[in-house]
Amino acid sequence: MEREGRAVGAASGELVTIGEFARLSRLSAKALRRYDELGLLRPALVDPVNGYRYYDPAQVEGARLVAWLRRIGMPLSRIGRIVALDAGAAAVEIRAYWARVEAETAARRDLAMYLVDHLSAEGGAMSRIPGNTGNTGSAGNAGGTGGTGSSGGAEDTGSRGGRGSSGSGVPGGPVAVPLAIRCAALTDTGAVRTTNQDAAFAGPRLLAVADGFGEGGAEASAAAIEALKPTAWGGGDGALSAADLLNALEDTADSASRAVRDAVAPCADPDGSGTTLTAMLWTGSRLGLVHIGDSRAYLLRGGELFRITHDHSLVQSMIDDGSLSREEAASHPGRSLLLKALVGEVRSAPVAVACRPDVRLQEVLAGDRYLLCSDGLSAVVDEAELRAAVIAAEAPEEAVRRLVGLAHEAGGPDNVACVVADVVVAAEE
């Protein structure tokens, strides 16, 4: 009877004690006090004499939302933004958060699989040394983690063949062949925009494109690429092991994040300025990928073009969960909303959030051709046309001119940045 009487009291709209509100909301009194201190869930009344907290039963739904968001692991700072939104905007924010979680989980999965393959390969190599009695393990390759792109990835392409090989350096394996990069980069304002916020760089150690946005977009894209140049990450000796390269990638990704934050700090709204970044770092024997946002990297191997990056965008997350088709995505009003990007200090930006880029290693074969581009190209030119242009061009310089020309033929609605790079035997270069 006491329980029923208290429930009736709550239903009548009267204020209830923190203990009763904890029962209604399925939150502990300790959690409610913590949320009050953080400004997430203020009591309707605090007794000025004894400090007792009283809540309006109408606050129950908001309290339950906080509890549910905590159960999916959302940080309290982000929950504070969501509870202040209307239902529709809150739904968009939650979708964006969860898509980011899934993208980061996929990146960690790829790294875990790479480590399994790499350590298994090392175990196999050790087993072939006379006197070693260890298990052979599986013969994974030490170059790629498998692609996360929708069109396939490094693991998919490995069986399709290529001209030459980077070599394994393992007794009984293929002879190591020294490789080099032949490349070209080009950016263009496009036919509609009056300024160019895209940046591109192509050198023997670094390939990169960045698509800036917001007030400080041009500064952000330039700063991100500058932070990845070889002098910043010590990639000049070509002797980095797989583990060392992964560490170098993590360090340079952090450097790029800091560089962008510093570049956009003077802006009136740093949260609204930033850049995507897709880059490949070459040590002379290994290739590392750094990726965040919706710029892309493609691999041409065996006459087929494979996307080896995964867009960090709201539309891509909807394609992934089956709620949107690729055809519908092309005209979706939220196609430009990013789930991950390099931005300024985040305080109120609803979708584009600062977070770590994905990093992984990429398998390399002589004869490979790589394309990196901003969405000013990939969003207006379909992959069949990209493939045809990349195949038809004899040299990277010709390829980037063809690609920018295709973007213009499609209306050139955005800035364009692209890099084309060929992996060649060093003697040829």
Side-chain angles (χ1 to χ4, degrees):
M1 291 297 294
E2 179 186 359
R3 187 186 191 96
E4 181 180 354
R6 288 160 61 185
V8 169
S12 68
E14 298 174 358
L15 299 185
V16 297
T17 65
I18 189 172
E20 175 64 8
F21 190 74
R23 185 186 68 80
L24 293 171
S25 64
R26 306 286 182 91
L27 290 169
S28 68
K30 180 179 179 180
L32 289 172
R33 285 190 287 269
R34 176 64 172 158
Y35 296 159
D36 178 16
E37 293 168 359
L38 295 174
L40 289 177
L41 188 64
R42 297 290 194 189
L45 175 68
V46 177
D47 190 302
V49 177
N50 54 32
Y52 290 169
R53 296 171 172 87
Y54 295 91
Y55 293 81
D56 189 325
Q59 294 178 277
V60 167
E61 286 305 312
R64 288 175 177 168
L65 175 60
V66 172
W68 292 332
L69 293 175
R70 287 297 291 155
R71 288 184 65 181
I72 65 172
M74 184 177 288
L76 291 172
S77 60
R78 190 158 187 169
I79 291 174
R81 295 200 300 271
I82 289 181
V83 297
L85 300 173
D86 60 44
V92 170
E93 177 78 356
I94 293 169
R95 174 187 284 279
Y97 168 77
W98 192 248
R100 173 188 168 187
V101 170
E102 290 183 326
E104 292 176 344
T105 300
R108 290 195 296 271
R109 179 199 62 215
D110 287 346
L111 177 57
M113 291 303 98
Y114 161 73
L115 293 172
V116 169
D117 288 347
H118 175 62
L119 294 173
S120 297
E122 283 194 347
M126 291 297 292
S127 71
R128 290 190 285 273
I129 298 174
N132 189 329
T133 59
N135 294 329
T136 59
S138 61
N141 77 70
T145 64
T148 58
S150 63
S151 298
E155 189 171 287
D156 299 324
T157 62
S159 62
R160 300 185 184 276
R163 298 189 301 278
S165 170
S166 59
S168 67
V170 175
V175 177
V177 176
L179 301 177
I181 298 292
R182 181 184 297 151
C183 54
L186 186 61
T187 66
D188 188 83
T189 304
V192 176
R193 302 291 178 89
T194 58
T195 59
N196 191 356
Q197 293 186 311
D198 283 10
F201 182 86
R205 297 293 182 185
L206 173 66
L207 313 170
V209 296
D211 182 356
F213 54 85
E215 177 190 352
E219 293 79 5
S221 60
I225 291 180
E226 190 65 30
L228 264 64
K229 289 185 177 178
T231 53
W233 61 278
D237 59 10
L240 291 179
S241 67
D244 288 339
L245 180 54
L246 282 172
N247 289 337
L249 291 174
E250 292 280 359
D251 291 343
T252 52
D254 289 343
S255 296
S257 298
R258 290 192 298 271
V260 170
R261 287 197 297 270
D262 292 343
V264 303
C267 297
D269 180 18
D271 294 346
S273 294
T275 186
T276 68
L277 177 65
T278 299
M280 290 184 142
L281 286 72
W282 174 247
T283 68
S285 60
R286 302 178 187 277
L287 193 61
L289 176 68
V290 177
H291 170 68
I292 188 168
D294 62 355
S295 294
R296 293 180 177 179
Y298 294 88
L299 166 63
L300 179 70
R301 179 180 290 174
E304 297 189 54
L305 188 70
F306 303 91
R307 177 150 62 101
I308 59 174
T309 54
H310 196 73
D311 293 350
H312 299 135
S313 65
L314 180 62
V315 161
Q316 183 64 58
S317 74
M318 297 173 72
I319 293 173
D320 293 342
D321 67 21
S323 60
L324 197 67
S325 70
R326 295 191 180 279
E327 294 72 25
E328 293 169 330
S331 58
H332 192 278
R335 62 187 178 277
S336 63
L337 295 178
L338 297 176
L339 301 180
K340 294 175 68 173
L342 300 178
V343 297
E345 294 296 336
V346 173
R347 291 186 298 273
S348 60
V351 176
V353 294
C355 46
R356 295 175 74 104
D358 297 340
V359 299
R360 74 164 193 261
L361 302 187
Q362 178 68 26
E363 178 195 15
V364 178
L365 297 177
D368 286 347
R369 172 168 281 184
Y370 287 92
L371 163 64
L372 282 63
C373 64
S374 64
D375 68 341
L377 178 64
S378 61
V380 298
V381 179
D382 64 39
E383 289 189 6
E385 291 183 280
L386 291 180
R387 174 182 175 275
V390 172
I391 288 177
E394 182 67 24
E397 293 81 3
E398 179 187 352
V400 293
R401 289 194 298 268
R402 283 176 179 262
L403 293 166
V404 170
L406 287 176
H408 272 274
E409 290 173 13
D414 198 357
N415 303 152
V416 184
C418 59
V419 169
V420 173
D422 292 340
V423 180
V424 299
V425 176
E428 297 175 359
E429 179 62 21

